[in-house]
Amino acid sequence: NAIPTHIRISPALDGAGDAESVRARVSGYLPANGFFEIFTNSITHSGYYPESQPLIRLRNSLSSELDVMRPSMVETGLEAVAYNLNRRQEDILFFELGKTYLPGDAGYRETRKLALYLSGHKEPEGWQHAPAAVDIYLVKGHLENIFSVLGLPAPSFQEAPAALRRLGPAMTVVSAGKTIGAAGAVDEATRGQFKIKQPVFYAELDWDA
């Protein structure tokens, strides 16, 4: 009882399971470890992206701030992070299962993602300990545990400065020789765009992979 527990993990179930059971395992693990699920809008603002970014634009958008389908999960999640920080909720553990949209041969290509957003402190301050800031090691720990819960080969993390736009430094997430995600700290310029002053860490996994 004297040993503090920071990350709880459930044993993996046998077999890969169907899509719903896989989602249920992840959706069970993350809230059990302090994460809140968020649901953000797949329609977002084209001003978040550089002119070189391929975008799927809406023909009849309702407003200039909701005129494209999101090509990445980072920006809409940071909107939720900024909203909470502005209301003095400084400790953030969010996750979202959503889709991104990019132009493709058939008009557009949907990709399902699992996105994690972490900021603030790992846990509330207590009489036994001072609050410790969220860091990349916590991100990696949660990713490793997600793979374990799903019965997948443990991931490795490889430094890759350009692993994902908006992150710096960043790393790729590799499992069984396949790159299926990225993780890192949101860069200062991006945090400034969303008026976020404190560090934010982000990770995403290709859900289908």
Side-chain angles (χ1 to χ4, degrees):
N1 289 337
I3 300 174
T5 300
H6 299 293
I7 296 179
R8 295 184 295 277
I9 182 169
S10 302
L13 303 179
D14 292 334
D18 57 34
E20 286 304 314
S21 68
V22 170
R23 180 180 179 125
R25 292 182 218 176
V26 174
S27 296
Y29 166 79
L30 289 169
N33 286 279
F35 282 80
F36 291 89
E37 186 170 11
I38 60 173
F39 301 90
T40 62
N41 198 343
S42 296
I43 303 173
T44 188
H45 182 27
S46 60
Y48 288 151
Y49 309 100
E51 293 183 1
S52 60
Q53 171 71 58
L55 296 171
I56 298 175
R57 298 182 181 274
L58 302 184
R59 291 179 178 176
N60 298 299
S61 59
L62 297 178
S63 75
S64 61
E65 294 187 352
L66 294 172
D67 60 342
V68 298
M69 302 299 291
R70 65 183 174 197
S72 65
M73 299 286 290
V74 182
E75 294 80 11
T76 52
L78 289 178
E79 288 179 337
V81 171
Y83 180 90
N84 280 268
L85 292 177
N86 290 338
R87 284 151 184 80
R88 298 186 179 182
Q89 176 55 50
E90 297 178 351
D91 298 333
I92 302 289
L93 291 175
F94 288 162
F95 78 96
E96 180 172 17
L97 282 160
K99 293 180 179 179
T100 60
Y101 304 83
L102 287 170
D105 295 337
Y108 66 91
R109 182 176 74 256
E110 289 185 0
T111 305
R112 293 187 292 179
K113 303 281 188 180
L114 169 63
L116 307 181
Y117 310 83
L118 303 87
S119 188
H121 298 103
K122 297 178 183 179
E123 57 187 18
E125 183 176 6
W127 65 271
Q128 289 181 312
H129 56 81
V134 165
D135 55 29
I136 192 61
Y137 301 105
L138 181 65
V139 178
K140 291 169 67 175
H142 283 301
L143 291 175
E144 289 170 347
N145 287 342
I146 288 171
F147 278 75
S148 177
V149 165
L150 296 178
L152 298 173
S156 61
F157 303 93
Q158 301 176 5
E159 291 187 12
L164 194 68
R165 197 176 75 87
R166 303 283 196 185
L167 300 186
M171 62 185 69
T172 55
V173 183
V174 179
S175 179
K178 185 176 182 180
T179 299
I180 59 172
V186 176
D187 62 46
E188 187 175 356
T190 297
R191 289 192 286 111
Q193 186 177 4
F194 290 87
K195 297 180 173 59
I196 297 174
K197 296 181 179 179
Q198 67 187 45
V200 178
F201 293 87
Y202 174 80
E204 72 172 34
L205 299 176
D206 182 317
W207 185 250
D208 292 322

